[in-house]
């Protein structure tokens, strides 16, 4: 006589039993650990802000908001300003996000939308993710000895023929914004690509099938259905990539030129807040250390504002394209 599957399903077992006292205890411990870890992160963030703010307070009282709008960093004259560094930080990060974000999303589409076999896609994804394991100083050396010499004739041609455009207003004589932004784009590429791939893979395959059933082509389904559906995850990837670009130090210190100036030309040298901190801390006096802490606080605020703005845009995108409140 065949056994009754319904009888087996209703028989008492470890799965169907009510939670035991040990289950309740372990659940409570895990919940407490999770809440404690979250609270510890808040405490750590507050401690970092307190330490940086307390050391930056003398410089804040001495220079005020003029420190933000100042153009010169001259320890000999005790004149400190970080406006060129703020410009360089945002400009280089935006250029890197434009390049790295665009290629990262294209790579995610290439790996997830059946352009290649699944095994080959896994190999390509591993290769892209390995870029994140390369140290910053190696990127910097590669930029100095390979990228800058390769870019110099291209920059000269663009400056000679399109010099009336502000983006090409100067030639590339050495380190500058373009090699720094290109290296930075390569460094954020693994972050953007990996999270974008996960965003596309979270979409049920029946969504694409429904698009094909309505008569769309492959690219119409990708651009009009898959891309908007994955937009919240892609935006999260872009925000994380932008945050990564804002804080990059060593590669930019080697490639950007460390010159305090504001220029739209992508071939002119510049400076960033992270590069300023790395370059000046070893030989800084008391007042300069206080000013550097003020600059570090400004970088922290910029990063926080970028993440808050990115979160707001992501929530708006979720409500608009995914129908979630």
């Amino acid at each position: 006589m065949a056994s009754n599957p319904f009888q087996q399903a209703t028989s008492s077992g470890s799965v169907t039993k009510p939670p035991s006292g040990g289950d309740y205890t372990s659940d409570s411990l895990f919940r407490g650990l999770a809440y404690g870890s979250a609270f510890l992160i808040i405490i750590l963030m507050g401690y970092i802000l307190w330490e940086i703010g307390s050391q930056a307070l003398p410089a804040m009282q001495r220079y005020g908001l003029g420190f933000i709008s100042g153009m010169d960093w001259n320890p000999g004259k005790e004149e400190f300003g970080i406006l060129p560094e703020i410009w360089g930080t945002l400009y280089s990060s935006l250029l890197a996000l434009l390049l790295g974000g665009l290629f990262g999303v294209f790579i995610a589409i290439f790996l997830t939308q059946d352009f290649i076999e699944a095994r080959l896609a896994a190999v390509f994804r591993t290769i892209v993710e390995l870029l994140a394991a390369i140290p910053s100083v190696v990127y910097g050396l590669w930029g100095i000895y390979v990228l800058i010499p390769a870019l110099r004739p291209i920059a000269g041609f663009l400056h000679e023929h399109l010099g009336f455009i502000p983006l090409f207003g100067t030639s590339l004589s050495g380190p500058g914004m373009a090699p720094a932004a290109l290296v930075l784009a390569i460094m954020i590429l693994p972050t953007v690509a990996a999270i974008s791939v996960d965003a596309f893979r979270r979409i049920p395959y029946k969504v694409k099938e429904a698009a094909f059933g309505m008569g769309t082509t492959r690219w119409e389904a990708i651009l009009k259905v898959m891309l908007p559906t994955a937009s919240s995850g892609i935006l999260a990837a872009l925000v994380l990539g932008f945050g990564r670009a804002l804080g990059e130090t060593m590669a930019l210190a080697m490639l950007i030129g460390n010159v305090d100036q504001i220029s739209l030309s992508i071939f002119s040298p510049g400076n960033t807040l992270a590069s300023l901190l790395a370059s000046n801390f070893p030989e800084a006096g008391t007042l300069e250390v206080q000013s550097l802490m003020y600059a570090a606080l400004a970088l922290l605020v910029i990063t926080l504002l970028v993440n808050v703005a990115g979160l707001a845009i992501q929530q708006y995108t979720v409500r608009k394209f995914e129908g979630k409140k």
Side-chain angles (χ1 to χ4, degrees):
M1 182 177 178
S3 59
N4 187 353
F6 297 101
Q7 185 178 1
Q8 292 179 358
T10 56
S11 62
S12 60
S14 59
V15 176
T16 59
K17 287 181 179 179
S20 63
D23 293 333
Y24 281 115
T25 301
S26 60
D27 183 70
S28 299
L29 288 175
F30 179 78
R31 185 181 292 109
L33 181 63
Y35 281 119
S37 300
F39 188 65
L40 184 62
I41 292 174
I42 296 175
I43 293 177
L44 180 61
M45 190 66 183
Y47 176 73
I48 293 174
L49 285 172
W50 171 262
E51 283 294 324
I52 296 177
S54 61
Q55 296 189 47
L57 186 60
M60 295 171 66
Q61 293 174 339
R62 177 166 181 169
Y63 298 108
L65 294 178
F67 182 81
I68 305 297
S69 60
M71 295 291 295
D72 298 320
W73 189 275
N74 191 334
K77 296 182 179 180
E78 296 185 350
E79 296 177 355
F80 301 103
I82 58 170
L83 186 59
E85 284 76 17
I86 293 175
W87 166 261
T89 300
L90 295 176
Y91 194 35
S92 61
S93 299
L94 286 172
L95 290 173
L97 184 65
L98 181 64
L99 296 173
L102 186 64
F103 281 100
V105 174
F106 281 165
I107 288 172
I109 292 174
F110 178 71
L111 296 180
T112 60
Q113 301 305 308
D114 303 326
F115 285 96
I116 55 175
E117 296 181 358
R119 293 181 180 179
L120 193 57
V123 173
F124 276 109
R125 182 176 181 180
T126 302
I127 293 173
V128 172
E129 291 176 350
L130 284 175
L131 293 175
I134 300 176
S136 298
V137 66
V138 175
Y139 278 115
L141 291 173
W142 175 78
I144 291 174
Y145 292 107
V146 178
L147 187 59
I148 291 178
L151 284 178
R152 191 175 288 120
I154 300 174
F157 175 82
L158 291 174
H159 174 61
E160 182 180 353
H161 293 86
L162 299 174
F164 59 90
I165 300 176
L167 287 177
F168 312 126
T170 62
S171 59
L172 182 67
S173 57
M177 192 66 67
L182 285 173
V183 168
L184 204 53
I186 297 173
M187 296 178 73
I188 70 172
L189 181 63
T191 301
V192 177
I195 300 177
S196 298
V197 165
D198 293 335
F200 279 110
R201 286 183 173 174
R202 285 193 299 112
I203 303 173
Y205 192 77
K206 62 183 180 181
V207 174
K208 186 192 293 185
E209 290 180 336
F212 289 150
M214 297 182 67
T216 63
T217 63
R218 168 184 282 189
W219 280 107
E220 286 176 338
I222 292 173
L223 298 177
K224 296 182 180 180
V225 178
M226 304 299 289
L227 198 60
T229 306
S231 58
S232 61
I234 293 173
L235 281 173
L238 295 177
V239 170
L240 289 175
F242 192 51
R244 169 80 169 84
L246 288 173
E248 176 53 40
T249 304
M250 184 55 64
L252 288 186
M254 299 171 68
L255 293 173
I256 202 167
N258 300 320
V259 175
D260 296 335
Q261 66 175 1
I262 296 176
S263 174
L264 282 174
S265 175
I266 60 175
F267 302 132
S268 65
N271 207 353
T272 65
L273 289 169
S275 178
L276 175 74
L277 296 173
S279 302
N280 290 275
F281 250 120
E283 300 177 356
T286 302
L287 181 58
E288 189 174 6
V289 167
Q290 295 169 352
S291 301
L292 289 170
M293 286 296 182
Y294 195 178
L297 189 62
L299 178 59
L300 190 61
V301 170
I302 291 173
T303 306
L304 180 62
L305 291 177
V306 166
N307 281 275
V308 170
L311 181 61
I313 296 173
Q314 183 184 5
Q315 292 298 323
Y316 170 77
T317 306
V318 169
R319 290 194 301 269
K320 183 174 181 180
F321 293 108
E322 299 183 15
K324 297 179 181 180
K325 296 183 179 179

